[in-house]
Amino acid sequence: MDAVDKRRRLVVVGNGMAGARTVEEILERGGGDQFAITMFGEEPYGNYNRILLSNVLSGVDDEAGIFLNDMSWYAENGITLHVGTRVTRIDRFARRIYADDGTETPYDKLIIATGSRAFVPPIPGIHRPGRGYHQGVFAFRTIDDTRNMIRYAREHERAVVIGGGLLGLEAARGLQNHLAHVTLVHAAGHLMNAQLDAQAGAILRRSIERLGIEVVLGAHTTEVLGKHAVTGVKLKDGRTVACDVVVVAAGIRANAEMAATSGLPVERGIVVDDQMRVQDEVDIYSVGECAQHRGETYGLVAPLWEQARVLADHITGTNPNAAYHGSRLATKLKVAGVDVASMGLKEAERDDDETIVFAEPRKGVYKSLVIRDDRLVGAILLGDVRKVAFLMQAFDRGLALPKERVEMLFDLGAPSAEVSAELGDDVQVCNCNGVTKRALVGTVQGGVKTLTGVMDATRAGKGCGSCKGLVAQIVEWAADGEVEDDPAASWYVPGVPMPKAELMAAIREHGLKSVSAVFATLVPGGEEDAKSKMGLASLLRMMWGDEYVDERDARFINDRVHANIQRDGTFSVVPQIKGGVTTPAQLKRIAEVAEKYSVPLVKITGGQRIDLLGIRKEDLPRVWADLDMPSGYAYGKSFRTVKTCVGSDFCRFGVGDSTALGIAIEDRFKAIEGPGKMKLAVTGCPRNCAEAYVKDLGVVAIDGGRWEIYVGGAAGAHVRKGDLLAVVDSPDEVITLTGRFLQYYRESANWLERTYAWVPRLGIGHIRAVVVDDSDGIAARLDAAMAASVDAYRDPWLERRDPVTPGQFRTSLPLAVLPQVPVREAVPVPPASARGA
């Protein structure tokens, strides 16, 4: 019989950056022994860095790289996590919280960390009754918002971003990667008016316009136009701006409605004291953007981290006297590629305030200081932020300033840009994560002599990234110039200390055919790393084929149940439709399954397949059986699909049978594992209707019965035309080189590295020499390895007959009700005569 858990019950409402960071701080203070921790998050994910969503939008970061804590972190720390679940009210007297899935959870201590939501002004046309946002309108707050923007923007041309603050500028810059024209509309007279003065805002505008973004200032949006989808926005002065995408980035508001309806004190946010306790409550705390402390709410990360430390000190008893006294706001970041730093006052407020200004508009440089009583009380740096470390130190600590004020802006005697030695130990180097110089130096002196090691240990540079240069300087200074190269930078997965080639050699030498065997044999101490398991499983399946020993805990949820999990906890099912060609019988079965299981959304995918969205986990085996079609592998890091055009049979421009070749390629290589997903296309002529030039591998028919093969293309967040690998004379040669190229990619690419990054990294000349010319003498081995993988194929949907584990298809996630996509009737098109044709 299990022992009774005598720990107190700690419930955290909110799984964003503030909530998760607070739990981390509590665990660091031994809170795991004091509390049984339960967390609720509205989004169906682990914790991710919301600051980096603009990088995901622009394509700088892959969304997988912005997650701070994946699902395994919660399990490893004994945390019960409810994802995709919204808490609706708190009963303070019964000490229970209630969620929208019917969950009732008692608490001894409660932390509210519900964050903030996007502020959407009440502009006519921005919403549609019963449908939420008008089609083409987006907020920019979550990872789902970002995904939806990217997906929608691919098929449209012009965007308007409402809001010229930090978020609006980032959204505008990111959208340039997906749309031909972006206009930024801002109601104030200059950009970033909350952080910059008018002159700095004007210089920033010039820099933004040089990037190709149109800026309209003093512009109040009065209406979003368009009946069925967005066609433009109307401004107060009567002007209209044509667009088919609208992104609202007009600020944020504390997400405090649930607290208010539960009877807690709410003004601009949930009112808290210096220990982050909710006013008049002994056991309820609030932290982050939803909290109001001494009349202030904070939207920057650094104050949230300070609050988290104080709350953790207090709730664990580590320091019952810990107190939060508010934050002096100072920030350094990169806005749409432009360096910006701002702290304190924007402009002088008293007659005796001293102001120093330097402006070089043509270079995009602006610097201003506000000094009061010989202390720095405000500063703005734009375009040149080399002096920001010294200025932040002076602002934060009230240091005495040099008599020659110009020395504060230029390296004329004050600390230079190389400020590592001069900076005080308490200076906060990383504002996002609250990391001081002392913490960095202590980590180096503790034996960590690599830059990435120090960043991992302290989290410095893991927020917006603008401090990485200074962190590198401090690490080098603290190590006395003896900074070591980081060997982990070349590791295939983070938990196994080997580059890919060395790892594969060791796996073959020791005959390691399971993930656990790799950890036990190749990792000192045999310690298993959850983040490495999926990459290792993929590598082992590629190397051993049907000899691979499958361990289900090495798979993520998608691979365990062979379907793609959705935000509400349901799954999508995508059967294989080779080359986009189907039959009436298949279509009939798909329709019957959709009706039988009340599938809320049936969607034609970009890969010419049919997606059934909203399938419950326990229904997956029956859905697969009723479909009686093979898996389309829409959920794995694997070969996905081959898109084709009509080809030569029906198209009057076609010079090659692209449909037959596409079907043959997909039939041969279906489900092949890879470091990243692989999407292919075959098009019957250079008109490129199947978009072959922007696929991982694309084949184009040309005159004379010949075929061009392009590799390394992309049309997602990254847009890249593929490089020409070869021109061949027959479909058989296409299939041979396709297999050889994919095998070489599988063997030499990094985990999660798509071909559009791998091809330019190795160089098309090198790849052509190996794959086409056999310069390394490995072509026959590559062909044989691919053939072995092909022969090992087994349709994973056959597990419906014999589940691998008893709970493989048992419901495990709460299901949140999502709005269904309404089926709209086609808009009648007037006859040509009525259109003036």
Side-chain angles (χ1 to χ4, degrees), residues 421-737:
E422 291 86 351
L423 284 177
D425 287 345
D426 293 329
V427 170
Q428 192 158 280
V429 177
C430 176
N431 290 317
C432 290
N433 289 306
V435 184
T436 63
K437 177 189 172 185
R438 177 184 287 110
L440 294 172
V441 173
T443 303
V444 174
Q445 292 175 345
V448 182
K449 297 295 178 68
T450 66
L451 175 60
T452 54
V454 172
M455 291 172 63
D456 287 340
T458 63
R459 292 198 181 118
K462 296 284 190 175
C464 70
S466 63
C467 66
K468 286 182 180 178
L470 182 57
V471 172
Q473 290 178 26
I474 293 173
V475 171
E476 185 173 359
W477 172 78
D480 197 22
E482 299 297 324
V483 178
E484 300 173 359
D485 291 333
D486 184 10
S490 64
W491 297 352
Y492 184 60
V493 290
V496 183
M498 292 182 179
K500 186 174 186 179
E502 183 181 335
L503 174 61
M504 291 175 66
I507 288 171
R508 289 195 181 97
E509 178 186 351
H510 296 285
L512 307 176
K513 298 181 180 179
S514 70
V515 170
S516 61
V518 172
F519 285 124
T521 307
L522 303 181
V523 177
E527 183 177 353
E528 296 194 359
D529 174 59
K531 294 181 180 178
S532 302
K533 288 185 175 181
M534 186 177 180
L536 286 176
S538 174
L539 182 66
L540 292 170
R541 277 194 293 266
M542 184 268 288
M543 293 177 64
W544 296 111
D546 56 5
E547 295 182 53
Y548 164 65
V549 178
D550 188 6
E551 297 169 323
R552 287 297 156 130
D553 68 344
R555 299 186 180 208
F556 289 166
I557 181 62
N558 285 1
D559 290 305
R560 288 200 299 271
V561 300
H562 316 300
N564 198 14
I565 194 169
Q566 304 299 302
R567 62 178 295 184
D568 63 342
T570 63
F571 293 82
S572 74
V573 169
V574 182
Q576 185 184 43
I577 298 179
K578 299 174 187 176
V581 177
T582 185
T583 65
Q586 284 183 340
L587 291 175
K588 184 177 180 181
R589 282 202 301 275
I590 291 171
E592 289 172 345
V593 166
E595 287 186 343
K596 179 176 179 180
Y597 294 94
S598 301
V599 174
L601 179 62
V602 180
K603 180 77 173 63
I604 305 297
T605 73
Q608 299 177 333
R609 300 188 293 189
I610 297 177
D611 194 353
L612 304 177
L613 294 120
I615 307 293
R616 292 175 178 268
K617 184 180 174 185
E618 63 269 26
D619 288 337
L620 288 173
R622 291 189 294 273
V623 168
W624 298 336
D626 290 346
L627 283 173
D628 194 26
M629 297 171 66
S631 169
Y633 265 79
Y635 48 84
K637 304 301 180 189
S638 63
F639 184 103
R640 292 285 185 91
T641 182
V642 181
K643 189 173 184 178
T644 69
C645 66
V646 173
S648 56
D649 283 350
F650 291 92
C651 179
R652 54 200 174 97
F653 299 105
V655 294
D657 191 350
S658 57
T659 304
L661 180 54
I663 291 173
I665 292 173
E666 186 164 349
D667 189 51
R668 177 163 178 77
F669 301 112
K670 56 182 177 291
I672 290 296
E673 293 278 348
K677 54 190 174 185
M678 295 164 275
K679 298 182 178 181
L680 285 72
V682 183
T683 192
C685 76
R687 295 168 71 91
N688 193 32
C689 292
E691 302 166 346
Y693 295 120
V694 288
K695 297 296 183 183
D696 293 288
L697 184 143
V699 183
V700 180
I702 58 176
D703 288 333
R706 309 185 78 201
W707 301 86
E708 296 176 333
I709 304 174
Y710 292 85
V711 294
H718 301 268
V719 178
R720 182 181 192 270
K721 181 181 178 182
D723 297 320
L724 181 64
L725 177 70
V727 181
V728 298
D729 296 323
S730 69
D732 288 342
E733 291 176 274
V734 170
I735 292 177
T736 298
L737 289 184

Side-chain angles (χ1 to χ4, degrees), residues 9-332:
R9 298 165 298 191
L10 171 62
V11 174
V12 182
V13 180
N15 186 36
M17 295 177 71
R21 180 58 177 265
T22 302
V23 171
E24 290 178 3
E25 296 283 353
I26 290 171
L27 292 173
E28 287 179 9
R29 291 158 175 78
D33 296 327
Q34 299 180 41
F35 297 105
I37 303 173
T38 300
M39 299 184 71
F40 287 83
E42 284 196 40
E43 296 182 76
Y45 316 109
N47 171 239
Y48 61 88
N49 188 340
R50 207 176 297 275
I51 299 168
L52 298 181
L53 286 176
S54 56
N55 285 2
V56 175
L57 180 63
S58 65
V60 173
D61 285 330
D62 185 89
E63 65 177 45
I66 73 170
F67 277 86
L68 301 170
N69 299 309
D70 60 21
M71 294 297 192
S72 63
W73 177 83
Y74 299 89
E76 291 165 2
N77 287 283
I79 298 168
T80 300
L81 174 64
H82 297 266
V83 295
T85 307
R86 184 172 61 89
V87 172
T88 55
R89 69 182 179 93
I90 302 164
D91 187 331
R92 296 174 292 139
F93 305 102
R95 301 167 74 85
R96 304 177 76 84
I97 63 106
Y98 298 85
D100 58 2
D101 65 348
T103 302
E104 297 182 23
T105 306
Y107 67 84
D108 297 305
K109 297 285 186 180
L110 175 66
I111 298 173
I112 304 172
T114 45
S116 61
R117 65 182 188 282
F119 170 64
V120 180
I123 300 170
I126 211 165
H127 292 95
R128 283 292 182 266
R131 283 172 39 192
Y133 292 129
H134 189 20
Q135 185 170 324
V137 175
F138 302 90
F140 186 23
R141 188 65 187 156
T142 69
I143 199 167
D144 284 332
D145 292 336
T146 308
R147 290 171 176 170
N148 292 337
M149 269 193 280
I150 292 172
R151 189 180 302 116
Y152 194 82
R154 288 172 181 160
E155 300 175 358
H156 296 82
E157 296 181 358
R158 304 177 68 89
V160 163
V161 177
I162 300 175
L166 168 63
L167 198 61
L169 289 163
E170 290 291 285
R173 182 58 170 160
L175 286 168
Q176 281 191 300
N177 286 280
H178 310 285
L179 295 153
H181 192 276
V182 179
T183 301
L184 189 142
V185 173
H186 190 43
H190 65 273
L191 297 176
M192 290 187 68
N193 52 290
Q195 293 85 17
L196 306 182
D197 61 25
Q199 190 172 2
I203 293 174
L204 178 60
R205 175 183 180 175
R206 291 183 59 172
S207 298
I208 297 300
E209 288 178 331
R210 280 198 291 267
L211 298 174
I213 298 170
E214 182 182 357
V215 178
V216 183
L217 298 175
H220 294 265
T221 305
T222 58
E223 187 178 358
V224 173
L225 305 174
K227 183 176 181 181
H228 299 286
V230 169
T231 58
V233 298
K234 186 176 182 180
L235 305 181
K236 188 175 182 180
D237 62 7
R239 286 180 294 171
T240 60
V241 181
C243 65
D244 42 28
V245 178
V246 171
V247 175
V248 183
I252 59 175
R253 296 291 185 272
N255 198 5
E257 287 79 2
M258 181 273 295
T261 58
S262 301
L264 297 176
V266 174
E267 295 173 1
R268 293 171 59 202
I270 304 168
V271 180
V272 299
D273 63 15
D274 288 354
Q275 282 70 47
M276 306 310 297
R277 287 175 301 201
V278 175
Q279 180 180 293
D280 299 327
E281 297 291 336
V282 177
D283 296 314
I284 303 179
Y285 298 77
S286 184
V287 65
E289 293 175 333
C290 64
Q292 176 183 313
H293 175 266
R294 298 190 183 186
E296 295 291 333
T297 57
Y298 295 94
L300 297 175
V301 174
L304 277 54
W305 288 181
E306 294 179 48
Q307 294 174 4
R309 289 192 290 271
V310 169
L311 195 162
D313 278 343
H314 192 265
I315 203 170
T316 61
T318 304
N319 179 9
N321 298 317
Y324 175 67
H325 299 297
S327 299
R328 290 168 62 83
L329 296 183
T331 185
K332 173 182 176 289

